[in-house]
């Protein structure tokens, strides 16, 4: 770091200048640029990937004993824990997320390093039942240089989710963080180096997608790309990756349904909706944005949800305030998208505001923060206007990525399932019911990669995280599947028959017409 406000790239185990123009990093709560970050040019990309490939070929990490890699990952967890206060403060500043959220989220990241360290220590290598006197065993070996593209909403969480299995497998990693929130990922460089990750094995190249991202994705030495982002960007990246015949994992868009059946506890469901919808100011891919409520409890639930939502608004303030419940959106662009989708729904005559519905201005009732300077938007509930249907609006179908939910009613289980599946997305979904049979029955019919029952946004290193429909991506994060996706299978077959047996059975071109083997 050149000074307190300028951050450098992390390349080959040290900080380096980038050749592109500096990236301004904004505080979403104030609209002020509080730091700048060096960005990688195409030449920087070429040099970094060459260093990563050299590190991979050297074998210092790729061929290191698995127990050594496990020990280093455990040390990463320990050092990450010791750096929590700095990481949390920076994460709050660059994302605008409330500090109470970051104090809960960032400490949980150590679980990913510990999980994959444990996986390395207990992984079994299969021996296959091959016919004959043959010993066929399998090993998982690393791919090489892998690229990880991370989004603005959970910079550290998503970086670590991708990084831990990639390092466990023995790969060299290049991370391109979002240009909106690149700073905390850069701090991982020193932590991982101190933990024992060799130089060149972990690299961070900030930059914009059209320059840095493009150069990285197109590079022929990149053997896997793992991206979290929007659906259209994911499709574009996938097309390039496919041309290089590289591996691809993509966690993309979502428009999560949340069904509340008439057997659910109303207050429990309301608490779950508020968490699932408004955590991170609604800027999560699994935010419960389509709330589907049994008509028997519609009025009661909507009333309590309005009260809960309004109470969140009253307790919004500076993200650094421990009492603040929700922060701003990430940028003016994101604020404009949310405002546009809400205004369009209202102007169509198909929707009306139950509570919220606009940008916040003036001083915060909590701490006097000037909302007008940042990108604060009220937590918002939209419902159908009388004799109209909000199902006809874009905000029912498109990902707003903001604190806005649509609430609709239903009468039958079949209708609820149909509404839940009425989306091109299929990442997350929620069901609230006290009927266990109903929970099993309905969860089996929801087209989502992750379905929570009587909870939401549970995320464990062992639990797969991926979409069930193409608009939500391909492959999955977490668990043994993510580890396997960063490896390739090496099959070794050893013939242990005696020389005499082999001479009798394996001479294909012997004289005569006796039986021969095939396979």
């Amino acid at each position: 770091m050149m000074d307190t406000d300028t951050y450098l790239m992390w390349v080959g185990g040290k900080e380096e200048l980038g050749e592109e123009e500096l990236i301004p990093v904004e505080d979403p709560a104030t609209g002020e640029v509080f730091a700048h970050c060096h960005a990688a040019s195409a030449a920087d990309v070429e040099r970094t990937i060459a260093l990563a490939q050299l590190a991979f070929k050297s074998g210092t990490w790729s061929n290191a004993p698995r127990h050594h890699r496990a020990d280093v990952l455990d040390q990463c967890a320990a050092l990450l824990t010791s750096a929590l206060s700095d990481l949390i403060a920076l994460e709050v500043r660059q994302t605008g997320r409330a500090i109470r959220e970051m104090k809960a989220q960032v400490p949980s990241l150590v679980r990913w390093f510990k999980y994959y360290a444990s996986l390395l220590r207990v992984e079994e290598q299969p021996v296959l039942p091959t016919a004959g006197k043959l010993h066929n065993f399998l090993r998982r070996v690393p791919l090489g240089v892998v690229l990880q593209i991370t989004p603005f909403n959970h910079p550290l969480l998503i970086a670590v989710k991708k990084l831990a299995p990639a390092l466990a497998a023995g790969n060299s990693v290049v991370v391109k963080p979002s240009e909106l929130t690149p700073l905390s990922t850069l701090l991982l460089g020193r932590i991982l180096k101190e933990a024992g990750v060799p130089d060149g094995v972990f690299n961070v190249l900030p930059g914009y997608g059209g320059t840095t991202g493009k150069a990285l994705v197109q590079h022929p030495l990149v053997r896997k790309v793992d991206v979290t982002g929007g659906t259209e960007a994911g499709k574009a990246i996938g097309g390039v990756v496919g041309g290089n015949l590289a591996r691809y994992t993509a966690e993309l868009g979502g428009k999560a349904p949340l069904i509340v059946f008439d057997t659910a506890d109303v207050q429990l469901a309301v608490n779950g909706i508020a968490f699932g919808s408004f955590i991170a100011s609604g800027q999560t891919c699994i935010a419960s944005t389509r709330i589907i409520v049994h008509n028997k409890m519609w009025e009661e639930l909507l009333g309590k949800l309005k009260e809960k939502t309004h109470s969140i608004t009253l307790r919004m303030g500076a993200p650094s305030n421990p009492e603040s419940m929700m922060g701003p959106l990430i940028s003016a662009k994101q604020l404009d998208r949310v405002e546009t989708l809400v205004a369009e729904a209202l102007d169509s005559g198909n929707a009306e505001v139950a509570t919220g519905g606009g940008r916040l201005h003036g001083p915060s009732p909590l701490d006097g923060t000037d909302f007008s300077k940042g990108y604060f938007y009220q937590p918002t509930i939209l419902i159908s206007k009388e004799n109209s249907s909000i199902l006809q609006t874009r905000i029912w179908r498109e990902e707003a990525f903001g604190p806005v939910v649509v609430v609709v009613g239903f009468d039958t289980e079949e209708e609820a399932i149909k509404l839940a599946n009425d989306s091109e997305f299929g990442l997350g979904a929620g069901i609230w019911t006290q009927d266990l049979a109903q929970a099993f029955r309905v969860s089996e019919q929801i087209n989502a990669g992750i379905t929570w029952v009587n909870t939401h946004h549970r995320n464990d290193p062992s639990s797969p995280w991926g979409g069930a429909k193409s608009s939500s991506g391909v492959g999955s994060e977490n668990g043994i599947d993510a580890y396997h996706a960063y490896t390739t299978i090496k099959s070794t077959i050893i013939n242990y028959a005696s020389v005499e047996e082999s001479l009798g059975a394996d001479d294909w071109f012997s004289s005569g017409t006796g039986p021969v083997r095939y396979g």
Side-chain angles (χ1 to χ4, degrees):
M1 196 182 301
M2 294 173 61
D3 56 51
T4 57
D5 296 318
T6 303
Y7 291 70
L8 277 68
M9 308 184 304
W10 184 263
V11 177
K14 62 183 185 298
E15 293 175 326
E16 289 201 359
L17 301 171
E19 295 181 353
E20 285 290 324
E21 291 186 14
L22 292 178
I23 300 170
V25 182
E26 200 175 40
D27 182 339
T30 64
E32 297 175 348
V33 173
F34 73 94
H36 288 83
C37 182
H38 278 256
S41 66
D44 292 326
V45 167
E46 185 66 39
R47 180 169 50 85
T48 302
I49 290 181
L51 286 171
Q53 177 73 357
L54 188 64
F56 179 77
K57 289 294 187 181
S58 75
T60 55
W61 185 252
S62 56
N63 290 334
R66 62 175 51 241
H67 289 282
H68 170 71
R69 293 204 302 267
D71 290 342
V72 171
L73 291 179
D74 276 336
Q75 185 65 6
C76 288
L79 292 175
L80 185 66
T81 300
S82 67
L84 284 177
S85 60
D86 290 340
L87 292 171
I88 290 169
L90 186 56
E91 202 79 327
V92 169
R93 190 80 188 275
Q94 68 175 354
T95 66
R97 298 273 297 277
I99 193 168
R100 69 193 303 268
E101 289 185 20
M102 291 296 96
K103 283 186 173 180
Q105 184 184 94
V106 177
S108 73
L109 304 188
V110 299
R111 296 182 298 159
W112 272 264
F113 286 122
K114 290 180 177 180
Y115 171 81
Y116 286 103
S118 298
L119 184 62
L120 281 174
R121 294 187 177 104
V122 301
E123 182 188 20
E124 297 179 351
Q125 297 180 346
V127 176
L128 304 182
T130 311
K133 291 188 175 182
L134 301 170
H135 185 86
N136 186 183
F137 65 93
L138 305 182
R139 289 178 56 226
R140 290 199 168 270
V141 296
L143 299 173
V145 178
V146 299
L147 169 63
Q148 299 171 345
I149 301 175
T150 58
F152 68 79
N153 55 339
H154 305 287
L156 275 175
L157 171 64
I158 293 177
V160 170
K161 282 173 68 177
K162 297 179 187 299
L163 181 60
L167 289 177
N171 297 285
S172 291
V173 181
V174 180
V175 180
K176 194 206 87 64
S178 167
E179 64 272 14
L180 298 174
T181 56
L183 306 183
S184 55
T185 306
L186 287 164
L187 296 191
L188 289 177
R190 288 191 179 280
I191 293 172
L192 269 58
K193 181 181 176 74
E194 186 179 347
V197 175
D199 294 348
V201 171
F202 174 67
N203 310 274
V204 184
L205 294 184
Y208 294 100
T211 51
T212 309
K214 182 179 180 181
L216 284 165
V217 168
Q218 290 178 337
H219 203 287
L221 286 180
V222 171
R223 301 317 308 144
K224 176 181 170 66
V225 176
D226 189 341
V227 60
T228 297
T231 300
E232 293 308 311
K235 289 178 180 178
I237 293 169
V240 178
V241 175
N244 284 338
L245 297 179
R247 303 279 188 91
Y248 190 46
T249 297
E251 195 261 85
L252 305 177
K255 194 70 181 175
L258 187 153
I259 305 174
V260 183
F261 287 101
D262 56 346
T263 60
D265 180 272
V266 174
Q267 191 58 56
L268 196 62
V270 165
N271 294 344
I273 294 168
F275 174 78
S277 305
F278 302 133
I279 197 78
S281 303
Q283 297 171 119
T284 70
C285 50
I286 48 74
S288 51
T289 52
R290 297 183 299 132
I291 314 303
I292 303 163
V293 182
H294 198 288
N295 282 322
K296 285 184 180 178
M297 61 197 314
W298 166 273
E299 289 189 12
E300 182 184 4
L301 185 136
L302 183 61
K304 290 187 175 183
L305 183 58
K306 286 167 64 176
E307 291 176 7
K308 173 70 76 171
T309 304
H310 183 60
S311 75
I312 295 171
T313 304
L314 293 176
R315 291 176 292 157
M316 289 175 66
S320 58
N321 184 343
E323 296 181 11
S324 179
M325 294 292 107
M326 196 177 88
L329 295 171
I330 189 66
S331 65
K333 180 180 178 181
Q334 191 58 34
L335 175 63
D336 179 68
R337 172 163 177 79
V338 173
E339 288 182 311
T340 297
L341 285 173
V342 171
E344 186 179 293
L346 299 179
D347 292 344
S348 72
N350 292 309
E352 64 182 24
V353 174
T355 189
R359 180 179 183 177
L360 287 168
H361 296 277
S364 159
L366 177 68
D367 57 19
T369 295
D370 187 353
F371 287 139
S372 302
K373 292 182 178 180
Y375 310 121
F376 293 88
Y377 195 89
Q378 294 172 292
T380 296
I381 302 171
L382 300 180
I383 60 175
S384 293
K385 202 167 185 178
E386 190 173 358
N387 299 321
S388 298
S389 175
I390 202 167
L391 302 182
Q392 306 303 315
T393 64
R394 281 206 300 152
I395 204 164
W396 168 257
R397 298 190 177 280
E398 296 186 17
E399 190 174 34
F401 231 59
V404 181
V405 300
V406 174
V407 184
V408 299
F410 72 90
D411 292 309
T412 67
E413 187 175 292
E414 292 73 19
E415 184 184 359
I417 293 168
K418 184 178 179 180
L419 286 167
N421 290 332
D422 182 28
S423 174
E424 67 173 302
F425 302 108
L427 186 57
I431 300 169
W432 292 80
T433 177
Q434 294 301 311
D435 183 336
L436 184 60
Q438 184 177 61
F440 276 99
R441 187 170 61 245
V442 175
S443 64
E444 288 183 346
Q445 298 177 73
I446 300 295
N447 293 330
I450 316 156
T451 300
W452 295 283
V453 178
N454 296 329
T455 189
H456 203 88
H457 204 163
R458 297 286 184 170
N459 188 5
D460 188 86
S462 65
S463 182
W465 184 284
K469 296 181 181 179
S470 59
S471 289
S472 288
V474 293
S476 66
E477 298 177 329
N478 293 350
I480 195 168
D481 288 347
Y483 170 74
H484 285 171
Y486 277 104
T487 68
T488 191
I489 288 286
K490 182 178 177 63
S491 177
T492 302
I493 303 169
I494 299 176
N495 176 16
Y496 60 88
S498 68
V499 172
E500 291 76 14
E501 288 174 306
S502 294
L503 285 172
D506 268 359
D507 185 0
W508 254 78
F509 298 101
S510 62
S511 59
T513 58
V516 293
R517 70 165 178 87
Y518 193 87

